[in-house]
Amino acid sequence: MIHPSLFLTSFLKLCVKIAGAFKFIFICFKNDFFIMTSHLETFGMVLIEAISYKLLVISSNSKGCRDVIKDGHNGILFKAGNAEDLTNKIIYLLDDYNLREKIFNNSQKDIKNYEWNRVSENYIKLYDELLN
């Protein structure tokens, strides 16, 4: 009989290989996680949307993704293109309930920074500073 964690690790590696770590994809496991494997993101809007749907985010460490996700705070980052690192981060998050709770709570607080009223206030402040 195969040990459950060995089976899960093998299954996740298979999923990552099938999906292709070099393409922009996302995988949701039981609607709990959002995984973004993109190598290039100008802005992590899709990550903001995933958080707004109350999903925990695991994302590549590409530039636009790092602007939204702070590793271990409001999501988990993995090395872009590295399927092994992605697999390890998925297992790490699955194994640690307290970390999942912390990341979830932080992400729900941080998502408020992207609400339209807050964004518009920041633009108004910026315009006022530039004009004065």
Side-chain angles (χ1 to χ4, degrees), residues 68-100:
V68 175
I69 301 300
K70 306 304 176 223
D71 192 29
H73 173 74
N74 62 354
I76 297 289
L77 295 174
F78 68 93
K79 295 174 195 143
N82 187 326
E84 184 78 23
D85 192 38
L86 171 56
T87 302
N88 291 336
K89 296 295 173 83
I90 293 169
I91 293 167
Y92 173 63
L93 200 55
L94 286 171
D95 283 347
D96 193 334
Y97 175 81
N98 291 328
L99 179 63
R100 289 194 311 270

PDB file of all heavy atoms in Angstrom, residues 68-100:
ATOM      1  N   VAL A  68       1.485  41.763  -5.465  1.00  0.00           N
ATOM      2  CA  VAL A  68       0.234  41.489  -4.746  1.00  0.00           C
ATOM      3  C   VAL A  68       0.466  40.530  -3.579  1.00  0.00           C
ATOM      4  O   VAL A  68      -0.031  40.755  -2.479  1.00  0.00           O
ATOM      5  CB  VAL A  68      -0.833  40.908  -5.704  1.00  0.00           C
ATOM      6  CG1 VAL A  68      -2.085  40.500  -4.943  1.00  0.00           C
ATOM      7  CG2 VAL A  68      -1.160  41.901  -6.803  1.00  0.00           C
ATOM      8  N   ILE A  69       1.214  39.461  -3.822  1.00  0.00           N
ATOM      9  CA  ILE A  69       1.402  38.408  -2.816  1.00  0.00           C
ATOM     10  C   ILE A  69       2.708  38.626  -2.059  1.00  0.00           C
ATOM     11  O   ILE A  69       3.771  38.726  -2.654  1.00  0.00           O
ATOM     12  CB  ILE A  69       1.408  37.006  -3.470  1.00  0.00           C
ATOM     13  CG1 ILE A  69       0.095  36.751  -4.207  1.00  0.00           C
ATOM     14  CG2 ILE A  69       1.682  35.922  -2.428  1.00  0.00           C
ATOM     15  CD1 ILE A  69      -1.142  36.804  -3.327  1.00  0.00           C
ATOM     16  N   LYS A  70       2.587  38.684  -0.751  1.00  0.00           N
ATOM     17  CA  LYS A  70       3.747  38.734   0.141  1.00  0.00           C
ATOM     18  C   LYS A  70       3.885  37.336   0.733  1.00  0.00           C
ATOM     19  O   LYS A  70       3.004  36.881   1.476  1.00  0.00           O
ATOM     20  CB  LYS A  70       3.576  39.778   1.240  1.00  0.00           C
ATOM     21  CG  LYS A  70       3.247  41.175   0.727  1.00  0.00           C
ATOM     22  CD  LYS A  70       4.278  41.691  -0.251  1.00  0.00           C
ATOM     23  CE  LYS A  70       3.874  43.028  -0.823  1.00  0.00           C
ATOM     24  NZ  LYS A  70       4.106  43.152  -2.245  1.00  0.00           N
ATOM     25  N   ASP A  71       4.981  36.672   0.389  1.00  0.00           N
ATOM     26  CA  ASP A  71       5.177  35.267   0.723  1.00  0.00           C
ATOM     27  C   ASP A  71       5.010  34.997   2.216  1.00  0.00           C
ATOM     28  O   ASP A  71       5.662  35.621   3.050  1.00  0.00           O
ATOM     29  CB  ASP A  71       6.559  34.816   0.258  1.00  0.00           C
ATOM     30  CG  ASP A  71       6.725  33.307   0.300  1.00  0.00           C
ATOM     31  OD1 ASP A  71       5.714  32.599   0.140  1.00  0.00           O
ATOM     32  OD2 ASP A  71       7.861  32.841   0.476  1.00  0.00           O
ATOM     33  N   GLY A  72       4.104  34.072   2.528  1.00  0.00           N
ATOM     34  CA  GLY A  72       3.859  33.692   3.913  1.00  0.00           C
ATOM     35  C   GLY A  72       2.935  34.635   4.654  1.00  0.00           C
ATOM     36  O   GLY A  72       2.528  34.365   5.778  1.00  0.00           O
ATOM     37  N   HIS A  73       2.583  35.757   4.032  1.00  0.00           N
ATOM     38  CA  HIS A  73       1.699  36.731   4.673  1.00  0.00           C
ATOM     39  C   HIS A  73       0.272  36.619   4.129  1.00  0.00           C
ATOM     40  O   HIS A  73      -0.655  36.332   4.872  1.00  0.00           O
ATOM     41  CB  HIS A  73       2.229  38.153   4.476  1.00  0.00           C
ATOM     42  CG  HIS A  73       1.289  39.211   4.949  1.00  0.00           C
ATOM     43  ND1 HIS A  73       1.091  39.471   6.290  1.00  0.00           N
ATOM     44  CD2 HIS A  73       0.466  40.052   4.272  1.00  0.00           C
ATOM     45  CE1 HIS A  73       0.183  40.429   6.407  1.00  0.00           C
ATOM     46  NE2 HIS A  73      -0.209  40.801   5.202  1.00  0.00           N
ATOM     47  N   ASN A  74       0.114  36.847   2.829  1.00  0.00           N
ATOM     48  CA  ASN A  74      -1.223  36.767   2.227  1.00  0.00           C
ATOM     49  C   ASN A  74      -1.284  35.739   1.093  1.00  0.00           C
ATOM     50  O   ASN A  74      -2.234  35.698   0.325  1.00  0.00           O
ATOM     51  CB  ASN A  74      -1.693  38.131   1.741  1.00  0.00           C
ATOM     52  CG  ASN A  74      -0.810  38.712   0.664  1.00  0.00           C
ATOM     53  OD1 ASN A  74       0.230  38.158   0.327  1.00  0.00           O
ATOM     54  ND2 ASN A  74      -1.212  39.840   0.125  1.00  0.00           N
ATOM     55  N   GLY A  75      -0.255  34.940   0.992  1.00  0.00           N
ATOM     56  CA  GLY A  75      -0.182  33.891  -0.018  1.00  0.00           C
ATOM     57  C   GLY A  75       1.171  33.214   0.066  1.00  0.00           C
ATOM     58  O   GLY A  75       1.991  33.536   0.925  1.00  0.00           O
ATOM     59  N   ILE A  76       1.395  32.295  -0.848  1.00  0.00           N
ATOM     60  CA  ILE A  76       2.667  31.565  -0.905  1.00  0.00           C
ATOM     61  C   ILE A  76       3.239  31.754  -2.301  1.00  0.00           C
ATOM     62  O   ILE A  76       2.521  31.636  -3.297  1.00  0.00           O
ATOM     63  CB  ILE A  76       2.457  30.053  -0.636  1.00  0.00           C
ATOM     64  CG1 ILE A  76       1.911  29.808   0.771  1.00  0.00           C
ATOM     65  CG2 ILE A  76       3.734  29.262  -0.880  1.00  0.00           C
ATOM     66  CD1 ILE A  76       2.891  30.063   1.891  1.00  0.00           C
ATOM     67  N   LEU A  77       4.532  32.041  -2.368  1.00  0.00           N
ATOM     68  CA  LEU A  77       5.225  32.181  -3.649  1.00  0.00           C
ATOM     69  C   LEU A  77       6.154  30.990  -3.868  1.00  0.00           C
ATOM     70  O   LEU A  77       6.759  30.496  -2.928  1.00  0.00           O
ATOM     71  CB  LEU A  77       6.042  33.475  -3.679  1.00  0.00           C
ATOM     72  CG  LEU A  77       5.246  34.777  -3.620  1.00  0.00           C
ATOM     73  CD1 LEU A  77       6.188  35.971  -3.503  1.00  0.00           C
ATOM     74  CD2 LEU A  77       4.344  34.926  -4.830  1.00  0.00           C
ATOM     75  N   PHE A  78       6.261  30.564  -5.128  1.00  0.00           N
ATOM     76  CA  PHE A  78       7.210  29.523  -5.504  1.00  0.00           C
ATOM     77  C   PHE A  78       8.048  30.029  -6.670  1.00  0.00           C
ATOM     78  O   PHE A  78       7.685  31.007  -7.330  1.00  0.00           O
ATOM     79  CB  PHE A  78       6.505  28.207  -5.855  1.00  0.00           C
ATOM     80  CG  PHE A  78       5.696  28.280  -7.119  1.00  0.00           C
ATOM     81  CD1 PHE A  78       6.259  27.914  -8.337  1.00  0.00           C
ATOM     82  CD2 PHE A  78       4.391  28.725  -7.094  1.00  0.00           C
ATOM     83  CE1 PHE A  78       5.521  27.995  -9.503  1.00  0.00           C
ATOM     84  CE2 PHE A  78       3.649  28.806  -8.256  1.00  0.00           C
ATOM     85  CZ  PHE A  78       4.209  28.443  -9.463  1.00  0.00           C
ATOM     86  N   LYS A  79       9.182  29.387  -6.892  1.00  0.00           N
ATOM     87  CA  LYS A  79      10.084  29.789  -7.975  1.00  0.00           C
ATOM     88  C   LYS A  79       9.421  29.491  -9.321  1.00  0.00           C
ATOM     89  O   LYS A  79       9.055  28.355  -9.605  1.00  0.00           O
ATOM     90  CB  LYS A  79      11.408  29.042  -7.874  1.00  0.00           C
ATOM     91  CG  LYS A  79      12.186  29.377  -6.635  1.00  0.00           C
ATOM     92  CD  LYS A  79      13.423  28.509  -6.510  1.00  0.00           C
ATOM     93  CE  LYS A  79      13.961  28.620  -5.097  1.00  0.00           C
ATOM     94  NZ  LYS A  79      14.497  27.376  -4.598  1.00  0.00           N
ATOM     95  N   ALA A  80       9.274  30.525 -10.141  1.00  0.00           N
ATOM     96  CA  ALA A  80       8.622  30.375 -11.445  1.00  0.00           C
ATOM     97  C   ALA A  80       9.313  29.289 -12.259  1.00  0.00           C
ATOM     98  O   ALA A  80      10.545  29.234 -12.342  1.00  0.00           O
ATOM     99  CB  ALA A  80       8.653  31.702 -12.205  1.00  0.00           C
ATOM    100  N   GLY A  81       8.524  28.399 -12.834  1.00  0.00           N
ATOM    101  CA  GLY A  81       9.049  27.331 -13.669  1.00  0.00           C
ATOM    102  C   GLY A  81       9.576  26.125 -12.919  1.00  0.00           C
ATOM    103  O   GLY A  81      10.023  25.174 -13.545  1.00  0.00           O
ATOM    104  N   ASN A  82       9.502  26.147 -11.593  1.00  0.00           N
ATOM    105  CA  ASN A  82      10.061  25.061 -10.792  1.00  0.00           C
ATOM    106  C   ASN A  82       8.924  24.210 -10.218  1.00  0.00           C
ATOM    107  O   ASN A  82       8.345  24.529  -9.181  1.00  0.00           O
ATOM    108  CB  ASN A  82      10.929  25.644  -9.677  1.00  0.00           C
ATOM    109  CG  ASN A  82      11.687  24.605  -8.904  1.00  0.00           C
ATOM    110  OD1 ASN A  82      11.216  23.497  -8.698  1.00  0.00           O
ATOM    111  ND2 ASN A  82      12.880  24.972  -8.454  1.00  0.00           N
ATOM    112  N   ALA A  83       8.602  23.114 -10.910  1.00  0.00           N
ATOM    113  CA  ALA A  83       7.488  22.244 -10.512  1.00  0.00           C
ATOM    114  C   ALA A  83       7.723  21.616  -9.145  1.00  0.00           C
ATOM    115  O   ALA A  83       6.777  21.424  -8.369  1.00  0.00           O
ATOM    116  CB  ALA A  83       7.260  21.171 -11.569  1.00  0.00           C
ATOM    117  N   GLU A  84       8.964  21.299  -8.837  1.00  0.00           N
ATOM    118  CA  GLU A  84       9.290  20.697  -7.536  1.00  0.00           C
ATOM    119  C   GLU A  84       8.974  21.673  -6.406  1.00  0.00           C
ATOM    120  O   GLU A  84       8.386  21.300  -5.384  1.00  0.00           O
ATOM    121  CB  GLU A  84      10.768  20.291  -7.505  1.00  0.00           C
ATOM    122  CG  GLU A  84      11.199  19.579  -6.250  1.00  0.00           C
ATOM    123  CD  GLU A  84      10.776  18.120  -6.238  1.00  0.00           C
ATOM    124  OE1 GLU A  84      10.548  17.543  -7.315  1.00  0.00           O
ATOM    125  OE2 GLU A  84      10.674  17.562  -5.135  1.00  0.00           O
ATOM    126  N   ASP A  85       9.372  22.933  -6.582  1.00  0.00           N
ATOM    127  CA  ASP A  85       9.099  23.951  -5.564  1.00  0.00           C
ATOM    128  C   ASP A  85       7.598  24.165  -5.416  1.00  0.00           C
ATOM    129  O   ASP A  85       7.086  24.270  -4.299  1.00  0.00           O
ATOM    130  CB  ASP A  85       9.801  25.265  -5.917  1.00  0.00           C
ATOM    131  CG  ASP A  85       9.787  26.259  -4.772  1.00  0.00           C
ATOM    132  OD1 ASP A  85       9.928  25.838  -3.602  1.00  0.00           O
ATOM    133  OD2 ASP A  85       9.623  27.463  -5.035  1.00  0.00           O
ATOM    134  N   LEU A  86       6.880  24.205  -6.540  1.00  0.00           N
ATOM    135  CA  LEU A  86       5.425  24.345  -6.490  1.00  0.00           C
ATOM    136  C   LEU A  86       4.804  23.187  -5.709  1.00  0.00           C
ATOM    137  O   LEU A  86       3.976  23.396  -4.819  1.00  0.00           O
ATOM    138  CB  LEU A  86       4.839  24.405  -7.900  1.00  0.00           C
ATOM    139  CG  LEU A  86       3.308  24.331  -8.007  1.00  0.00           C
ATOM    140  CD1 LEU A  86       2.639  25.417  -7.183  1.00  0.00           C
ATOM    141  CD2 LEU A  86       2.890  24.395  -9.463  1.00  0.00           C
ATOM    142  N   THR A  87       5.205  21.976  -6.013  1.00  0.00           N
ATOM    143  CA  THR A  87       4.685  20.799  -5.315  1.00  0.00           C
ATOM    144  C   THR A  87       4.950  20.901  -3.825  1.00  0.00           C
ATOM    145  O   THR A  87       4.053  20.656  -3.003  1.00  0.00           O
ATOM    146  CB  THR A  87       5.323  19.519  -5.874  1.00  0.00           C
ATOM    147  OG1 THR A  87       5.054  19.445  -7.274  1.00  0.00           O
ATOM    148  CG2 THR A  87       4.795  18.288  -5.186  1.00  0.00           C
ATOM    149  N   ASN A  88       6.170  21.283  -3.460  1.00  0.00           N
ATOM    150  CA  ASN A  88       6.520  21.411  -2.037  1.00  0.00           C
ATOM    151  C   ASN A  88       5.692  22.479  -1.336  1.00  0.00           C
ATOM    152  O   ASN A  88       5.283  22.302  -0.185  1.00  0.00           O
ATOM    153  CB  ASN A  88       8.011  21.708  -1.879  1.00  0.00           C
ATOM    154  CG  ASN A  88       8.870  20.534  -2.265  1.00  0.00           C
ATOM    155  OD1 ASN A  88       8.435  19.381  -2.234  1.00  0.00           O
ATOM    156  ND2 ASN A  88      10.104  20.804  -2.659  1.00  0.00           N
ATOM    157  N   LYS A  89       5.424  23.579  -2.025  1.00  0.00           N
ATOM    158  CA  LYS A  89       4.643  24.660  -1.421  1.00  0.00           C
ATOM    159  C   LYS A  89       3.183  24.237  -1.234  1.00  0.00           C
ATOM    160  O   LYS A  89       2.555  24.588  -0.237  1.00  0.00           O
ATOM    161  CB  LYS A  89       4.728  25.935  -2.269  1.00  0.00           C
ATOM    162  CG  LYS A  89       6.129  26.524  -2.370  1.00  0.00           C
ATOM    163  CD  LYS A  89       6.656  27.003  -1.033  1.00  0.00           C
ATOM    164  CE  LYS A  89       8.100  27.431  -1.066  1.00  0.00           C
ATOM    165  NZ  LYS A  89       8.392  28.750  -1.520  1.00  0.00           N
ATOM    166  N   ILE A  90       2.639  23.486  -2.178  1.00  0.00           N
ATOM    167  CA  ILE A  90       1.270  22.985  -2.036  1.00  0.00           C
ATOM    168  C   ILE A  90       1.183  22.078  -0.810  1.00  0.00           C
ATOM    169  O   ILE A  90       0.292  22.231   0.035  1.00  0.00           O
ATOM    170  CB  ILE A  90       0.815  22.230  -3.296  1.00  0.00           C
ATOM    171  CG1 ILE A  90       0.686  23.190  -4.476  1.00  0.00           C
ATOM    172  CG2 ILE A  90      -0.512  21.506  -3.043  1.00  0.00           C
ATOM    173  CD1 ILE A  90       0.506  22.489  -5.814  1.00  0.00           C
ATOM    174  N   ILE A  91       2.110  21.157  -0.695  1.00  0.00           N
ATOM    175  CA  ILE A  91       2.116  20.223   0.439  1.00  0.00           C
ATOM    176  C   ILE A  91       2.328  20.983   1.750  1.00  0.00           C
ATOM    177  O   ILE A  91       1.658  20.720   2.751  1.00  0.00           O
ATOM    178  CB  ILE A  91       3.181  19.132   0.240  1.00  0.00           C
ATOM    179  CG1 ILE A  91       2.771  18.244  -0.941  1.00  0.00           C
ATOM    180  CG2 ILE A  91       3.375  18.301   1.505  1.00  0.00           C
ATOM    181  CD1 ILE A  91       3.862  17.327  -1.437  1.00  0.00           C
ATOM    182  N   TYR A  92       3.227  21.957   1.741  1.00  0.00           N
ATOM    183  CA  TYR A  92       3.503  22.798   2.914  1.00  0.00           C
ATOM    184  C   TYR A  92       2.219  23.466   3.395  1.00  0.00           C
ATOM    185  O   TYR A  92       1.896  23.450   4.579  1.00  0.00           O
ATOM    186  CB  TYR A  92       4.565  23.822   2.527  1.00  0.00           C
ATOM    187  CG  TYR A  92       4.877  24.876   3.537  1.00  0.00           C
ATOM    188  CD1 TYR A  92       5.408  24.568   4.785  1.00  0.00           C
ATOM    189  CD2 TYR A  92       4.690  26.221   3.228  1.00  0.00           C
ATOM    190  CE1 TYR A  92       5.726  25.559   5.702  1.00  0.00           C
ATOM    191  CE2 TYR A  92       4.998  27.216   4.134  1.00  0.00           C
ATOM    192  CZ  TYR A  92       5.513  26.880   5.370  1.00  0.00           C
ATOM    193  OH  TYR A  92       5.817  27.863   6.263  1.00  0.00           O
ATOM    194  N   LEU A  93       1.455  24.026   2.471  1.00  0.00           N
ATOM    195  CA  LEU A  93       0.220  24.703   2.833  1.00  0.00           C
ATOM    196  C   LEU A  93      -0.854  23.715   3.283  1.00  0.00           C
ATOM    197  O   LEU A  93      -1.595  23.976   4.233  1.00  0.00           O
ATOM    198  CB  LEU A  93      -0.281  25.540   1.652  1.00  0.00           C
ATOM    199  CG  LEU A  93      -1.254  26.665   1.957  1.00  0.00           C
ATOM    200  CD1 LEU A  93      -0.692  27.623   2.994  1.00  0.00           C
ATOM    201  CD2 LEU A  93      -1.597  27.419   0.690  1.00  0.00           C
ATOM    202  N   LEU A  94      -0.928  22.573   2.627  1.00  0.00           N
ATOM    203  CA  LEU A  94      -1.905  21.555   3.026  1.00  0.00           C
ATOM    204  C   LEU A  94      -1.634  21.017   4.420  1.00  0.00           C
ATOM    205  O   LEU A  94      -2.565  20.702   5.164  1.00  0.00           O
ATOM    206  CB  LEU A  94      -1.901  20.389   2.029  1.00  0.00           C
ATOM    207  CG  LEU A  94      -2.539  20.643   0.673  1.00  0.00           C
ATOM    208  CD1 LEU A  94      -2.265  19.469  -0.258  1.00  0.00           C
ATOM    209  CD2 LEU A  94      -4.027  20.886   0.806  1.00  0.00           C
ATOM    210  N   ASP A  95      -0.358  20.926   4.790  1.00  0.00           N
ATOM    211  CA  ASP A  95       0.035  20.338   6.076  1.00  0.00           C
ATOM    212  C   ASP A  95      -0.092  21.285   7.266  1.00  0.00           C
ATOM    213  O   ASP A  95      -0.037  20.839   8.407  1.00  0.00           O
ATOM    214  CB  ASP A  95       1.483  19.839   6.014  1.00  0.00           C
ATOM    215  CG  ASP A  95       1.619  18.538   5.262  1.00  0.00           C
ATOM    216  OD1 ASP A  95       0.586  17.885   5.004  1.00  0.00           O
ATOM    217  OD2 ASP A  95       2.760  18.182   4.904  1.00  0.00           O
ATOM    218  N   ASP A  96      -0.230  22.584   7.028  1.00  0.00           N
ATOM    219  CA  ASP A  96      -0.176  23.548   8.130  1.00  0.00           C
ATOM    220  C   ASP A  96      -1.473  24.362   8.219  1.00  0.00           C
ATOM    221  O   ASP A  96      -1.626  25.397   7.577  1.00  0.00           O
ATOM    222  CB  ASP A  96       1.026  24.472   7.942  1.00  0.00           C
ATOM    223  CG  ASP A  96       1.337  25.288   9.177  1.00  0.00           C
ATOM    224  OD1 ASP A  96       0.433  25.550   9.983  1.00  0.00           O
ATOM    225  OD2 ASP A  96       2.519  25.687   9.322  1.00  0.00           O
ATOM    226  N   TYR A  97      -2.388  23.887   9.040  1.00  0.00           N
ATOM    227  CA  TYR A  97      -3.685  24.553   9.207  1.00  0.00           C
ATOM    228  C   TYR A  97      -3.517  25.986   9.716  1.00  0.00           C
ATOM    229  O   TYR A  97      -4.186  26.906   9.233  1.00  0.00           O
ATOM    230  CB  TYR A  97      -4.569  23.757  10.169  1.00  0.00           C
ATOM    231  CG  TYR A  97      -5.865  24.454  10.485  1.00  0.00           C
ATOM    232  CD1 TYR A  97      -6.937  24.376   9.603  1.00  0.00           C
ATOM    233  CD2 TYR A  97      -6.012  25.202  11.651  1.00  0.00           C
ATOM    234  CE1 TYR A  97      -8.131  25.036   9.875  1.00  0.00           C
ATOM    235  CE2 TYR A  97      -7.199  25.857  11.933  1.00  0.00           C
ATOM    236  CZ  TYR A  97      -8.246  25.774  11.036  1.00  0.00           C
ATOM    237  OH  TYR A  97      -9.419  26.443  11.321  1.00  0.00           O
ATOM    238  N   ASN A  98      -2.642  26.190  10.700  1.00  0.00           N
ATOM    239  CA  ASN A  98      -2.448  27.528  11.272  1.00  0.00           C
ATOM    240  C   ASN A  98      -1.936  28.510  10.224  1.00  0.00           C
ATOM    241  O   ASN A  98      -2.359  29.672  10.199  1.00  0.00           O
ATOM    242  CB  ASN A  98      -1.501  27.483  12.472  1.00  0.00           C
ATOM    243  CG  ASN A  98      -2.126  26.765  13.654  1.00  0.00           C
ATOM    244  OD1 ASN A  98      -3.336  26.804  13.847  1.00  0.00           O
ATOM    245  ND2 ASN A  98      -1.298  26.094  14.427  1.00  0.00           N
ATOM    246  N   LEU A  99      -1.032  28.053   9.370  1.00  0.00           N
ATOM    247  CA  LEU A  99      -0.532  28.917   8.299  1.00  0.00           C
ATOM    248  C   LEU A  99      -1.657  29.265   7.327  1.00  0.00           C
ATOM    249  O   LEU A  99      -1.782  30.422   6.907  1.00  0.00           O
ATOM    250  CB  LEU A  99       0.624  28.234   7.551  1.00  0.00           C
ATOM    251  CG  LEU A  99       1.209  29.024   6.386  1.00  0.00           C
ATOM    252  CD1 LEU A  99       1.834  30.332   6.872  1.00  0.00           C
ATOM    253  CD2 LEU A  99       2.232  28.182   5.645  1.00  0.00           C
ATOM    254  N   ARG A 100      -2.480  28.285   6.978  1.00  0.00           N
ATOM    255  CA  ARG A 100      -3.615  28.555   6.083  1.00  0.00           C
ATOM    256  C   ARG A 100      -4.540  29.605   6.684  1.00  0.00           C
ATOM    257  O   ARG A 100      -4.981  30.530   5.995  1.00  0.00           O
ATOM    258  CB  ARG A 100      -4.399  27.271   5.782  1.00  0.00           C
ATOM    259  CG  ARG A 100      -3.670  26.319   4.885  1.00  0.00           C
ATOM    260  CD  ARG A 100      -4.584  25.224   4.339  1.00  0.00           C
ATOM    261  NE  ARG A 100      -5.413  24.547   5.320  1.00  0.00           N
ATOM    262  CZ  ARG A 100      -5.058  23.464   5.987  1.00  0.00           C
ATOM    263  NH1 ARG A 100      -3.855  22.927   5.805  1.00  0.00           N
ATOM    264  NH2 ARG A 100      -5.878  22.894   6.851  1.00  0.00           N
TER     265      ARG A 100
END
